[in-house]
Amino acid sequence: MDIKIEASWKERLQTEFEQPYFAELVAFVRQEYATQPIYPPGRLMFNAFDKCPFDQTKVVILGQDPYHGKGQANGLCFSVNDGVTIPPSLNNIFKEIKDDLDKPFPRTGNLERWAEQGVLLLNATLTVREGKPGSHQGHGWERFTDAVIRLLNDDKQGLVFLLWGKYAQDKGKIIDPKKHFVLKSKHPSPMSANYGGWFGNKHFSQANNYLKNKGLPEIEW
């Protein structure tokens, strides 16, 4: 199956694209785009991979679903398009970055700038119906993104994985903490973060210190 995705990922994921489950997933997603408002736009479905090639990946952040509001999702977890109001979870991420690294609060919630530095912003499910969170779960995306995580775990060394909340931590159980630097905390959603365990986690400085100690460029969060 010919999937339009960045070349280094395409080469490594080709066997996954040829699996029967993936053909069923593609048929489902095509039908959904043809009959429902689906986010992100089809051309941005694999944006996380297109903006962050396999060989350049240094940090992985795991999300769950794309944003399901009109004009929000751009194919990167926690990220929204320029000009879109910053969602509560992302607002809390920026608050933690400000407290952790004394960085000014960004003017935009578009995280492409992170992806272009080697941060893979991977949702477990890459598409969603408008206004219906979780609507594309259980159709094959989770199996595909598990394969992505397994590929990163097996074929790379010394990645930083940021696992926020129980869902990400359960999905990240296949990651070998002896090979990679795994950081866990509560989810930045206000429903979780406001009860402790998100603010003060210092994940961003810890990630940068790890990269620096490996002789790699730090991320400009």
Side-chain angles (χ1 to χ4, degrees):
M1 185 175 293
D2 186 27
I3 300 297
K4 292 182 179 179
I5 191 172
E6 191 275 333
S8 65
W9 286 107
K10 186 171 186 175
E11 177 186 353
R12 289 170 174 83
L13 292 168
Q14 189 58 46
T15 55
E16 210 65 29
F17 297 145
E18 294 167 358
Q19 297 293 321
Y21 88 88
F22 199 85
E24 293 174 8
L25 171 62
V26 167
F28 166 76
V29 170
R30 282 178 176 163
Q31 177 66 14
E32 287 285 287
Y33 273 102
T35 58
Q36 306 286 337
I38 302 298
Y39 302 124
R43 62 186 171 79
L44 296 178
M45 192 185 308
F46 294 109
N47 199 28
F49 304 91
D50 295 337
K51 290 290 190 293
C52 184
F54 179 85
D55 293 333
Q56 295 175 27
T57 300
K58 299 186 293 187
V59 179
V60 182
I61 300 177
L62 294 183
Q64 191 165 352
D65 261 8
Y67 293 117
H68 54 85
K70 186 175 182 180
Q72 288 183 298
N74 63 6
L76 310 175
C77 73
F78 294 104
S79 175
V80 291
N81 286 311
D82 292 323
V84 173
T85 300
I86 295 174
S89 292
L90 184 55
N91 194 60
N92 283 340
I93 289 170
F94 288 158
K95 283 181 181 178
E96 176 59 24
I97 291 171
K98 186 176 188 302
D99 291 344
D100 187 11
L101 298 171
D102 197 26
K103 296 274 187 182
F105 210 84
R107 295 181 179 180
T108 177
N110 191 334
L111 302 182
E112 286 187 1
R113 62 189 183 277
W114 292 4
E116 289 166 355
Q117 296 176 74
V119 182
L120 181 67
L121 295 157
L122 180 66
N123 276 316
T125 304
L126 301 190
T127 54
V128 69
R129 274 193 193 185
E130 182 177 55
K132 294 186 177 180
S135 51
H136 283 191
Q137 292 176 8
H139 290 276
W141 278 132
E142 294 92 339
R143 179 171 170 181
F144 172 70
T145 50
D146 279 352
V148 172
I149 295 167
R150 197 170 291 109
L151 174 69
L152 289 163
N153 178 72
D154 294 349
D155 289 9
K156 292 182 80 73
Q157 187 97 18
L159 293 175
V160 180
F161 284 90
L162 304 182
L163 307 181
W164 300 334
K166 186 178 186 303
Y167 184 90
Q169 289 162 24
D170 285 346
K171 192 170 180 68
K173 285 179 178 177
I174 57 178
I175 300 161
D176 183 353
K178 294 178 182 177
K179 286 183 66 179
H180 305 285
F181 188 42
V182 180
L183 293 170
K184 301 176 182 179
S185 79
K186 289 284 187 71
H187 195 276
S189 162
M191 291 184 291
S192 175
N194 294 343
Y195 294 96
W198 166 256
F199 293 112
N201 67 28
K202 298 191 179 298
H203 279 190
F204 304 97
S205 60
Q206 288 187 68
N208 275 356
N209 287 337
Y210 181 80
L211 295 172
K212 183 179 179 180
N213 289 336
K214 289 176 63 66
L216 296 170
E218 299 174 54
I219 305 297
E220 282 291 334
W221 298 106

